[in-house]
Amino acid sequence: MIKSKKIISVVGARPQFIKLAPLSEKLSLYHEEIILHTGQHYDKQMSDSFFEDLKIKKPKYNLNIGSGNHGAQTGRMMEEIENILLKEKPDMIIVFGDTNSTLAGALAAAKLHIKVLHIEAGLRSYNRSMPEEINRIATDHVSDFLFAPTQTAMDILKKEGLADKSFLTGDIMIDTVNRNISFAEQKADPKLLSDIQGEFYLVTLHRPYNVDRPEVLSKIMETLAALDHDVIFPVHPRTRKMIAQFNIPSNHKIHLIDPCGYLDFLYLQSKSKKIITDSGGIQKEAYTLKKPCITLRPETEWVETVKEGWNLLMNPETDLDAQKIIDFIPRKEQSNIFGSEVTQSMVEIINSL
Ligand code: UD1
Ligand code: UDP
């Protein structure tokens, strides 16, 4: 007999909606699952469009916290999340990934002695200048249950003394890709490729160390302009703001477009020649879709993709090189880094808790 629980899923940023989608659907079969949206991302293209594309039920709560400095944003979230937890008295909350919404949810619940489950636990870049690294470490250490996406993450949790509460589940984003890939082919906007002749590179950037410094962002744009094909670049709002602020010149080969909905973006990934990104999630999706990925970062948490030769790390401060991107050819073989039927394993564990 499965004991039905009241569970609050806390989300707030684009990649969290994508991780939530398959889990929310399955969890709701057994439990009272409530979605709490912090409002960290709020533009239609960064939030509502994912609920529509992925048919995620409407959040019961949207805190509309919006943007702000780290302390202020996280603090405002914690205050509001605490009020809701006191009112709803859930048995457990689930937090995803490594954003300020993740940390706020985990801290607010832990202080009220409400069980916290962290999905995508055990990731480390060992680069503490990334806000996400602080969020991950703190969240893992205050959580009661840790779902690790990879064996590397599991080993890290063990090293940090957290093995007792850790489960190797695989990566839930892969389930979202597998469930939606054929749907994306049917539903994608046909106009997405209307300006593109032949092959193209797909680019995303949003990490502060790439986009918040004019010299780095300019160098990246110059490198993209030197590639051998057109570039489609759906621009994150942080990056859009910086391109305008730094007066980065446009280039006819680089097609800057608004952030895409999930199905459109999945379609673009599947049609691209190579993907160039600093995103965490997109490195995994590129691997799953068997697309060569060039990651504009000095390090990655998804080390297996690099070890297997599908992901080339390129430090934008020191290593940018258009020719290296053009020449990058991955090995053919892949192993099953991220698992499969991950949602099912997660729900079975949650049912047994
Ligand atoms: C956040 C996460 C990051 C994650 C990324 C996914 C933190 C610290 N960072 O980064 O880990 O990889 O989301 O995309 O939690 N903005 C808008 N509209 C929106 C959302 C943001 O215009 O709907 C603009 C605002 O100017 C805002 C800026 O983007 O100040 C940054 O947003 P924020 O959520 O603070 O950080 P991200 O860079 O999106
Ligand atoms: N994504 C999207 N539209 C876009 C860019 C990204 O749907 O225009 C999706 C992408 O498929 C992936 C997720 O957003 O699933 C990655 O989010 P992001 O890069 O914002 O955050 P990160 O994974 O780095 O935390």
Side-chain angles (χ1 to χ4, degrees), residues 98 120-125 132-133 136-137 140 149-150 152-153 156-157 171 284 301-302:
D98 53 19
E120 213 176 80
L123 295 190
R124 300 289 181 267
S125 63
E132 292 83 4
E133 185 74 354
R136 290 176 194 133
I137 294 169
D140 282 346
T150 59
T152 304
I156 289 170
L157 293 171
D171 195 296
K284 298 181 274 183
E301 303 77 30
W302 305 105

Side-chain angles (χ1 to χ4, degrees), residues 123-181:
L123 295 190
R124 300 289 181 267
S125 63
Y126 300 104
N127 175 356
R128 289 222 180 187
S129 71
M130 290 177 75
E132 292 83 4
E133 185 74 354
I134 310 293
N135 292 344
R136 290 176 194 133
I137 294 169
T139 301
D140 282 346
H141 284 263
V142 299
S143 292
D144 299 279
F145 308 108
L146 300 170
F147 283 2
T150 59
Q151 185 60 51
T152 304
M154 198 67 182
D155 295 342
I156 289 170
L157 293 171
K158 189 170 171 204
K159 235 187 275 164
E160 294 186 14
L162 301 170
D164 288 355
K165 46 185 184 174
S166 302
F167 302 83
L168 178 57
T169 55
D171 195 296
I172 195 158
M173 284 187 110
I174 301 317
D175 279 7
T176 316
V177 170
N178 289 333
R179 277 162 203 222
N180 287 285
I181 185 71

